[in-house]
Amino acid sequence: MVGSVWIWCLASSCAISAGTFTVAADGSADFKTIQAAVDAAPASGGSISIRPGLYREKLVINKAHIQLRGTGTKASDVILSYDDSAGTAGGTTKSASVTISGDDFYAENLTMENTFSRTRPLKQEGSQAVALKITGDRSVLRNVRFLGFQDTLYPTGAGSRQYFVDCYIEGNVDFIFGNAKAFFENCEIHSLAHQVVYITAQSKLHEDEQSGYVFDHCRLTADPDAKVVYLGRPWRACSTVVFLNTKMETPIAPQGWHEWEHDGKPSLPTVFYAEYKSSGPGANPARKQLSDAEAKRFALAAFFDGWNAAEVR
């Protein structure tokens, strides 16, 4: 028996129930790597407790109902780290330090990072370096830090509902990007030093696609050398991003959003970019503002079609 996984058999049938695995980088637990614990978990999933330490591994989770729980006193005590890039791995998607495709994923109290650009210059091509790519539905990430530079966090998969709460996300170019239905609550979004910073590059492809990003009661902060900060630019022509009750503590380019043409056509006329009750130096009432009634459409339960992500622990 590993951790608390147990097996029972009755007549000719046998079932396995997921329990708790423990991982420690020093080898003092059930497993030394997180990937080994994930691989050992049954198809029904499992809860993996991770002791403080640095776990340098390229982690892939394609099973449903996997939970990663850092056991340190803070999120920085448990670090999942790697340093691939689009140039070294053969594409942005392949660069991810952590890749999650299983539904009902849960993570708390840990850090996911891609360190590729920490000691290398940011280039126009090949420097995309993803900390987390996540496509699973009904995913919850609570008190997780995402560290990177270009393309840090990749919440993607049209219709996939992903809830980020009490998280810290940093980067400089398109550092939250993709086409998931992602909701960010009480998160700090931090722009790193760069000449031009784009916080989001949401990629909703057509009007009927179940896709968009909502930031609710978040904080936008930045390094002093983040020269010009935009709320985002459209990776696809129907890009959808809404900021609700967000404290924009750093100055934001007055127009808020930057054009990104596709097939020679401007995209800003077809996107949905809006705000509701923004505050701080970066707020600008001249940008599109939602009414009280319009803002209700982007509340957590409404946005997730009734799924109460806040109750998942």
Side-chain angles (χ1 to χ4, degrees):
M1 184 174 75
V2 177
S4 60
V5 173
W6 54 267
I7 301 174
W8 61 267
C9 295
L10 179 63
S12 60
S13 64
C14 186
I16 185 165
S17 176
T20 299
F21 302 89
T22 302
V23 178
D26 63 5
S28 62
D30 299 327
F31 296 99
K32 191 173 182 178
T33 69
I34 301 166
Q35 188 67 64
V38 170
D39 293 345
S44 55
S47 180
I48 300 171
S49 296
I50 310 171
R51 293 179 185 169
L54 173 64
Y55 296 85
R56 192 178 186 281
E57 53 182 297
K58 203 170 172 73
L59 181 61
V60 177
I61 300 174
N62 50 32
K63 295 175 181 176
H65 302 285
I66 292 292
Q67 301 175 0
L68 303 182
R69 299 178 183 270
T71 62
T73 59
K74 54 189 181 299
S76 59
D77 288 342
V78 174
I79 302 175
L80 285 57
S81 181
Y82 212 73
D83 64 348
D84 260 345
S85 71
T88 62
T92 299
T93 293
K94 295 178 181 179
S95 74
S97 299
V98 181
T99 300
I100 299 163
S101 58
D103 292 340
D104 298 293
F105 173 78
Y106 181 86
E108 69 175 17
N109 199 36
L110 51 82
T111 296
M112 299 181 184
E113 68 176 14
N114 191 314
T115 64
F116 179 81
S117 294
R118 198 167 286 174
T119 57
R120 302 174 179 91
L122 187 66
K123 298 179 180 179
Q124 188 170 0
E125 296 294 336
S127 291
Q128 298 89 343
V130 177
L132 170 66
K133 179 194 175 188
I134 182 165
T135 60
D137 190 24
R138 297 180 304 274
S139 300
V140 175
L141 298 99
R142 189 181 298 276
N143 188 30
V144 177
R145 298 163 72 234
F146 302 95
L147 311 183
F149 296 84
Q150 182 173 0
D151 293 4
T152 302
L153 178 60
Y154 192 5
T156 195
S160 294
R161 293 162 292 181
Q162 301 169 10
Y163 180 49
F164 300 82
V165 58
D166 299 331
C167 292
Y168 171 87
I169 308 161
E170 70 175 24
N172 50 25
V173 177
D174 305 332
F175 64 94
I176 305 174
F177 71 111
N179 72 332
K181 217 174 180 185
F183 196 99
F184 302 83
E185 184 173 4
N186 195 37
C187 295
E188 180 179 354
I189 315 299
H190 185 75
S191 298
L192 297 177
H194 198 57
Q195 286 298 115
V196 181
V197 174
Y198 306 103
I199 294 174
T200 65
Q202 211 279 331
S203 58
K204 183 174 179 177
L205 186 59
H206 53 79
E207 290 184 5
D208 295 332
E209 185 176 73
Q210 293 298 303
S211 172
Y213 291 167
V214 174
F215 297 84
D216 187 14
H217 286 89
C218 291
R219 293 171 55 224
L220 305 187
T221 60
D223 287 349
D225 289 333
K227 301 300 185 183
V228 181
V229 179
Y230 287 91
L231 298 175
R233 59 177 178 170
W235 185 13
R236 298 289 184 266
C238 292
S239 177
T240 296
V241 183
V242 172
F243 284 89
L244 307 174
N245 307 292
T246 293
K247 195 171 184 180
M248 301 183 178
E249 297 179 5
T250 188
I252 301 294
Q255 64 271 42
W257 310 91
H258 194 279
E259 181 61 86
W260 189 347
E261 291 190 356
H262 298 285
D263 298 323
K265 299 178 182 178
S267 296
L268 288 181
T270 58
V271 302
F272 187 87
Y273 289 152
E275 298 170 55
Y276 178 73
K277 294 187 176 180
S278 298
S279 62
N284 184 350
R287 299 193 291 261
K288 179 177 175 59
Q289 305 294 312
L290 299 175
S291 66
D292 290 348
E294 289 171 329
K296 289 180 180 179
R297 293 171 40 213
F298 297 98
L300 182 62
F303 186 66
F304 280 156
D305 304 317
W307 174 51
N308 194 344
E311 291 186 349
V312 179
R313 294 278 179 173

